[in-house]
Amino acid sequence: MDKLKILLTCFLSVSFFTFSFAQNRNITGIVANASDKSPLVGATVSVKGTNNATTTSVDGTFSISIQGNDATLVISSVGFASKEVRVSAGQNSVSVELQSSEQELSEVVVTALGVQRKAKSLTYSTQVIKGDDITKVKDANLMNGLIGKVSGLQINRSSSGIGGSVNITLRGLKSLRNNQPLYIIDGLPITNTGGSGPTGPFGGNTDRGDILSTLNPDDIQSINVLKGASASALYGSEGANGAIMITTKKGAAGSTKIDISSSAMFDNPLDMPKLQYSYAQTPSSKGDAEESWGPKGNYGDLKSKIDGFFRTGTTFINTVSMSGGTAKSQSYFSYANTSNNGIMPTNTFKQHTISFRNSTHFFNDKLVFDGSLMYSKQNIHNRPASG
């Protein structure tokens, strides 16, 4: 009888152990972007009602353990709407596609030095502008695309024609010298200085443009404006006037994609200068007088020369870009051409811009290389001088 009890006990123990082990099984799957079918890296996969969770790898795959025959997986990622997937008995793999969500994108912002924070948790003001909002009406200087889109941002554009520099202030003047914010392009801080030529006869200078005027607007992914010294404190005294973070586009894993963009603009003088035709040029022994306080008379024959001086200006901006790659390496390449004939005779502007960016993962994604190269060449003739 004692032997029977021992055997029975052992049988029940083995049966119980086998039953419990059968309830734990691994579920594998892949998470992709519903728009372009590219894999999503870093998406969170969790078992609903438990603390069991994991993230997707660089190729969008994941593996997670569940208990029981049935379970519900919750898949979420920044910028995408969350989705729940029911896993039934006998099902060992799933394939999930997430739809992009603009509402979730606005909740997470990239602050100074690339740190991600929730917008609600910030004690200072930031504002993100997408690249598509800048290129709706293109300008050779991409900062002109921010006019009227960012609160507290004042942009004074140059009167020296296309490709001129811009003067930007955030929340008013703070210094007697420099009030320009700090610019960060893909994590690299730059000082946006513009050159000027010799002084003109009326005190104006020829604006030779700035660094931002050499960038291609179609290469911009987003612009994050950090308002005030508290927002850009991590950049030290250089960020005392705020900071403008510019993020360029990069390639995505999946099939190669080619984008072509073209725009055309036409310019005409809005308000012609008001001239008088009752007095001639002021007499001068050297013949170089600039005033018009000479003898009174009828000089109406000069009107036709003034009216025919300006012409219709044309600006054409064309961009061709190519992006793609694998889970380990992604690349982005673009070429842009800007051609302009100004409203003043013989004023021309030509610009060629080439951009290349590559992101490569090494050692099982423990090391990531992300580098970019930008080259821009401008050829300008007879640029107008500022008054």
Side-chain angles (χ1 to χ4, degrees):
M1 188 66 179
D2 293 336
K3 294 182 180 181
L4 180 60
K5 290 182 179 181
I6 295 174
L7 293 175
L8 181 59
T9 303
C10 293
F11 175 79
L12 292 177
S13 299
V14 173
S15 299
F16 178 78
F17 176 77
T18 306
F19 177 79
S20 301
F21 180 78
Q23 302 309 303
N24 296 319
R25 57 194 182 97
N26 287 331
I27 302 297
T28 61
I30 183 171
V31 181
N33 188 344
S35 60
D36 56 5
K37 311 302 180 183
S38 62
L40 290 180
V41 183
T44 302
V45 181
S46 61
V47 181
K48 189 175 182 179
T50 68
N51 295 326
N52 188 14
T54 186
T55 58
T56 58
S57 59
V58 292
D59 56 356
T61 60
F62 69 91
S63 177
I64 192 170
S65 176
I66 65 172
Q67 292 184 353
N69 293 327
D70 297 330
T72 300
L73 301 181
V74 180
I75 297 94
S76 61
S77 180
V78 176
F80 295 86
S82 300
K83 190 173 184 179
E84 294 186 0
V85 177
R86 185 71 177 176
V87 179
S88 58
Q91 184 180 1
N92 296 322
S93 62
V94 294
S95 179
V96 184
E97 293 183 354
L98 298 183
Q99 299 286 344
S100 60
S101 173
E102 296 182 357
Q103 182 177 1
E104 291 191 14
L105 278 175
S106 62
E107 296 178 356
V108 178
V109 295
V110 178
T111 60
L113 299 180
V115 180
Q116 289 188 355
R117 290 287 186 270
K118 290 186 177 181
K120 294 182 180 180
S121 66
L122 298 178
T123 58
Y124 47 81
S125 177
T126 66
Q127 192 167 347
V128 180
I129 304 298
K130 296 181 180 179
D132 294 339
D133 297 330
I134 303 174
T135 56
K136 287 181 179 179
V137 180
K138 291 184 183 179
D139 192 280
N141 194 320
L142 64 94
M143 300 309 297
N144 289 323
L146 297 181
I147 297 178
K149 295 182 175 67
V150 180
S151 61
L153 181 68
Q154 181 180 354
I155 300 178
N156 296 323
R157 59 189 304 175
S158 170
S159 59
S160 295
I162 189 172
S165 60
V166 294
N167 183 33
I168 296 180
T169 55
L170 276 169
R171 295 180 172 178
L173 303 177
K174 306 176 184 65
S175 171
L176 295 177
R177 298 181 62 185
N178 181 27
N179 288 278
Q180 287 257 36
L182 178 67
Y183 298 91
I184 301 97
I185 302 178
D186 290 336
L188 179 64
I190 65 169
T191 302
N192 187 44
T193 56
S196 59
T199 303
F202 294 97
N205 294 331
T206 301
D207 183 3
R208 294 178 178 175
D210 53 13
I211 296 178
L212 297 177
S213 66
T214 63
L215 300 180
N216 177 22
D218 288 306
D219 290 339
I220 305 304
Q221 180 69 31
S222 64
I223 297 179
N224 187 14
V225 182
L226 306 179
K227 305 176 184 179
S230 60
S232 54
L234 292 179
Y235 292 110
S237 60
E238 295 293 332
N241 298 323
I244 297 180
M245 302 180 61
I246 301 174
T247 304
T248 62
K249 295 179 180 179
K250 60 182 180 180
S255 58
T256 302
K257 182 174 64 174
I258 298 177
D259 294 325
I260 300 176
S261 174
S262 181
S263 67
M265 292 180 289
F266 302 91
D267 303 319
N268 278 306
L270 177 63
D271 189 10
M272 298 290 292
K274 296 181 181 180
L275 305 176
Q276 61 85 19
Y277 302 96
S278 300
Y279 296 89
Q281 185 176 1
T282 302
S284 174
S285 58
K286 297 181 180 180
D288 58 354
E290 298 172 350
E291 298 81 8
S292 297
W293 301 105
K296 186 175 183 179
N298 184 10
Y299 304 99
D301 57 334
L302 299 177
K303 294 183 179 180
S304 59
K305 298 180 181 179
I306 299 298
D307 294 339
F309 176 76
F310 295 102
R311 64 182 180 181
T312 300
T314 59
T315 304
F316 299 95
I317 303 177
N318 303 296
T319 302
V320 178
S321 63
M322 180 175 61
S323 62
T326 62
K328 294 293 184 180
S329 179
Q330 305 88 38
S331 299
Y332 173 85
F333 174 82
S334 71
Y335 166 75
N337 174 271
T338 301
S339 177
N340 165 262
N341 291 322
I343 61 175
M344 294 182 60
T346 71
N347 171 224
T348 58
F349 176 92
K350 307 291 183 182
Q351 176 172 294
H352 302 272
T353 304
I354 297 175
S355 300
F356 176 76
R357 184 173 182 180
N358 177 263
S359 299
T360 304
H361 301 259
F362 299 96
F363 306 114
N364 294 328
D365 304 331
K366 294 181 179 180
L367 177 63
V368 179
F369 169 81
D370 188 3
S372 61
L373 174 66
M374 299 180 185
Y375 173 80
S376 181
K377 180 182 178 180
Q378 292 182 348
N379 186 5
I380 309 169
H381 178 67
N382 194 26
R383 188 195 287 270
S386 301

